[in-house]
């Protein structure tokens, strides 16, 4: 039922692929005086790729294995090494998106380490304008990783049936996430005086910016690699992946506020401190009385928020019922995703083992306490 | 000998493809409150795509037509509409690269219009931080256009023989340009006290940042689309495209200083004002006497340069012989490219007409007065 055994192999394969596809191509050289900067960028590509939870790759692999009827870890299916690379390509794309996202958001940290553009600025500390150079190199690193993700997917797809549908789905994933980032920026600019619109917009944006590449594309790509026809693969991926991806993003936002049982020591309330427009905030604004609502609006329209603001916002998210409402939204979406897995198992003729494998990979996107209603 | 007749068709096809591939996919909708921002980004994609000289697309088409033995403008070759789209994909990629380049360089203008991130900041002038939002949306627009270029190339390649080699060459072009941008940033951070190294690094970087997608990839893609085998296509593209692309970049930098006979009214000396590290500057530093060299270094290490500085630098570029040396470099490279076209014509068995078509498309990258030694 578990395929997390694939994790070490995934991690090492991602590092190999990034070094191979995002650096200087084999047999070519760059001018000697520029080599140190190029090495710093290529090296940062590998560093930025490390340490993800690999949920997306594991979901793609589980989907493929569920249909093919085995975990295939012993490499007996010749297509499986190609699917492994395809799964890695999704992770490399995520890294590309995060590198640009951190520049857009001016973020200092990612996965507990300096964000790519900050690390590159530090590497170029002797340059006349290290921050400017770091940001420029960060934009190019994101571009290099995005190109690498497509090239990895292309070479993997070439070794699989349905080569062209796989490439179309992969490029469609890129496009949906890019549109999602645009929509996310639009939401961040939205006024706070219409919280119902904010809640529905945010949920709508989650389909684009999160579900697209987190759950929908991994399922779709896993199915296509296993030979499922294009229309059926898309329909199943959407029916399972859309509610699961929304639940995942809601849970991510909720855990930022309530903390995680298996907390990594990440400070609670980071999104509030950044003034992020979340569904939690929208739900709190909707349910708050006049004074509380005015206080929240004032707080989130201010240029910065301090520790007292964060504590007060969390308290209001609780007292207005916004936290409970998010729990309810997550549980409902999870049950929809789980039911869709059941339907998909029927449509795909999965064995009990296959079904459990897919359901297990889906369940991993949410902590157990948020899956129960 | 001329295929500029294809220009209006190219221009209109690019607009159609960008609207189709870089906007919201048909049949999907975005949340209503975000639609205006998404429309602004997609619309800017079309605007940013307008007004290029299309030299790259014309070179790809001329290469294909030269091998296929006709201009094919009447559409009698079923592959030609696919090649047309492939040629457009190169132009869309260029736009993607320029959108990011303008963010990295903080440029206000592109092709006589506001740069994409500035135009998007203006479109979001009611937002709390329009410049920040404009830059973020500009990064995403560049990403969307880069993805669109690959998707356009993929759908075109699917209608051509050598589908996979075409995709590999297209993705390799992306990667080379991205590496070239990294190298270019490295050169901009280089000290000025070793001008020989600066000259050779700059020329080395031109291979990556300019020749890659300006001349090498268009020839390679045109040849692959016409059925030339992969190894031969790469060798010919490199032999013609590398010197031609270097000559093109040197001419671009030279015209910035000496002006163009058919000047568009662009102010002379823009690169000097920006403090750009060019081969001209390196050649001037190499040939200058101690006092002139110190003056140039002081000028280019200063944070800004005024009109007097620009005039003085141009005068020094002339008096040190740097302008003549660039003219010489360009003529030598052009003759190498022209000779390589002759060799390629033999290897490909081109007709006289085909050879003239290819040579004409190459000549278009340089004004006539720079092609003569």
């Amino acid at each position: 039922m578990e395929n997390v055994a694939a994790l070490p192999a995934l991690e090492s394969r991602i590092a190999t692929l990034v070094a191979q596809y995002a650096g200087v191509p084999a047999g070519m050289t760059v001018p000697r005086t520029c080599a140190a900067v190029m090495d710093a960028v290529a090296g940062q590509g590998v560093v930025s790729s490390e340490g993800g939870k690999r949920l997306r790759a594991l979901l793609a692999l589980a989907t493929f294995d569920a249909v093919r009827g085995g975990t295939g870890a012993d490499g007996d299916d010749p297509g499986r090494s190609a699917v492994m690379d395809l799964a890695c390509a999704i992770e490399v794309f995520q890294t590309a998106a995060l590198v640009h996202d951190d520049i857009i958001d001016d973020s200092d940290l990612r996965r507990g380490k300096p964000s790519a553009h900050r690390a590159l600025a530090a590497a170029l500390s002797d340059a006349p304008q290290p921050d400017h150079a770091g940001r420029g190199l960060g934009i190019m690193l994101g571009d290099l990783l995005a190109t690498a993700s497509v090239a990895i997917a292309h070479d993997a797809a070439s070794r699989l049936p349905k080569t062209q549908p796989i490439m179309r789905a992969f490029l469609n994933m890129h496009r949906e996430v890019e549109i999602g980032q645009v929509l996310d920026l639009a939401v961040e600019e939205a006024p706070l005086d219409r919280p119902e619109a904010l809640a529905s917009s945010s949920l709508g944006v989650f389909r684009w910016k999160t579900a697209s590449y987190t759950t929908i594309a991994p399922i779709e790509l896993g199915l296509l690699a296993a030979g499922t026809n294009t229309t059926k693969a898309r329909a199943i991926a959407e029916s399972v992946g859309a509610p699961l991806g929304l639940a995942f993003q809601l849970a991510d936002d909720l855990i930022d506020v309530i903390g995680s049982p298996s907390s990594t020591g990440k400070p609670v309330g980071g999104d509030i401190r950044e003034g992020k427009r979340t569904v939690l905030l929208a739900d709190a604004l909707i349910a708050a009385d006049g004074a509380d609502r005015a206080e929240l609006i004032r707080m989130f329209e201010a240029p910065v928020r301090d520790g007292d603001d964060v504590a007060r916002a969390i308290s209001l998210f609780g007292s207005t019922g916004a936290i409970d409402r998010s729990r309810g939204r997550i549980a409902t979406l999870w049950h929809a995703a789980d039911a869709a897995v059941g339907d998909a198992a029927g449509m795909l003729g999965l064995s009990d083992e296959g079904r459990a494998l897919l359901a297990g990979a889906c369940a991993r996107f949410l902590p157990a306490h948020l899956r129960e209603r």
Side-chain angles (χ1 to χ4, degrees), chain A:
Chain A
M1 273 184 58
E2 282 289 342
N3 64 345
V4 288
L7 265 179
L10 273 172
E11 199 63 32
S12 114
R13 186 68 184 146
I14 289 167
T16 302
L17 289 168
V18 169
Q20 183 184 337
Y21 283 85
V24 176
M28 294 187 75
T29 54
V30 302
R32 207 165 43 79
T33 53
C34 307
V37 172
M38 186 60 217
D39 286 349
V41 171
Q44 184 59 43
V46 175
V47 170
S48 290
S49 300
E50 289 165 356
K53 294 190 294 287
R54 312 305 180 201
L55 294 176
R56 295 162 183 83
L58 290 171
L59 178 57
L61 288 171
T63 304
F64 176 83
D65 290 340
V67 177
R68 285 298 180 93
T71 62
D74 51 355
D76 53 354
D77 185 330
R80 197 159 190 287
S81 75
V83 180
M84 182 85 175
D85 282 4
L86 188 59
C88 291
I90 304 171
E91 298 286 330
V92 175
F93 169 64
Q94 182 189 25
T95 304
L98 296 178
V99 168
H100 280 181
D101 197 40
D102 286 342
I103 295 171
I104 293 171
D105 294 344
D106 256 328
S107 301
D108 296 327
L109 292 172
R110 170 65 65 181
R111 293 173 181 162
K113 293 181 290 193
S115 53
H117 63 292
R118 291 272 191 270
L120 288 167
L124 270 80
S125 57
D126 290 342
Q129 303 180 65
D131 286 342
H132 184 263
R135 204 175 63 209
L137 292 174
I139 291 176
M140 293 325 300
L141 174 58
D143 288 354
L144 267 169
L145 289 168
T147 298
S149 77
V150 179
I152 295 165
H154 179 259
D155 288 346
S158 304
R159 290 143 57 204
L160 289 163
K162 310 231 179 263
T163 302
Q164 290 177 21
I166 288 172
M167 281 307 289
R168 292 218 170 84
F170 198 84
L171 291 168
N172 185 56
M173 171 189 79
H174 266 244
R175 180 183 185 174
E176 288 187 358
V177 173
E178 287 149 6
I179 289 172
Q181 291 280 80
V182 169
L183 302 177
D184 197 41
L185 281 160
V187 167
E188 289 302 317
E189 302 296 337
L192 295 174
D193 55 0
R194 293 174 51 228
E196 289 83 0
L198 177 60
S200 76
S201 301
S202 295
L203 288 164
V205 172
F206 289 172
R207 159 67 185 77
W208 293 89
K209 79 161 187 174
T210 307
S212 53
Y213 79 110
T214 303
T215 46
I216 297 173
I219 295 171
E220 185 177 12
L221 292 166
L223 290 174
L224 291 171
T228 306
N229 93 49
T230 308
T231 311
K232 195 198 258 189
R234 180 78 189 167
I236 289 172
E238 191 82 37
S239 69
V240 177
L244 183 62
L246 264 62
F248 171 75
Q249 182 64 61
L250 283 167
D252 200 54
D253 291 350
L254 181 60
I255 288 165
D256 184 75
V257 166
I258 63 173
S260 161
S262 59
S263 174
T264 54
K266 192 178 153 192
V268 161
D271 289 348
I272 297 171
R273 201 175 277 269
E274 288 170 21
K276 193 170 154 190
R277 270 67 173 143
T278 59
V279 175
L280 273 168
L281 172 62
D283 283 343
L285 289 169
I286 291 168
D289 64 25
D292 287 348
R293 181 191 280 219
E295 184 180 358
L296 279 170
I297 290 179
R298 208 165 44 240
M299 193 188 290
F300 277 81
E301 284 182 346
V304 289
R305 281 143 299 279
D306 65 15
D308 288 347
D309 293 328
V310 170
R312 175 69 180 143
I314 293 176
S315 156
L316 285 170
F317 287 1
S319 63
T320 55
I323 288 175
D324 283 343
R325 189 157 180 201
S326 261
R327 283 187 195 278
R329 289 183 191 272
I330 293 164
T332 303
L333 287 161
W334 164 252
H335 284 281
D338 198 42
V341 168
D343 293 345
M347 288 171 70
L348 295 163
L350 298 189
S351 66
D352 286 350
E353 197 196 6
R355 177 185 168 147
L357 187 65
L358 179 58
C362 291
R364 219 176 289 125
F365 284 84
L366 296 168
H369 70 100
L370 291 178
R371 273 181 262 134
E372 288 135 27
R373 185 128 43 171

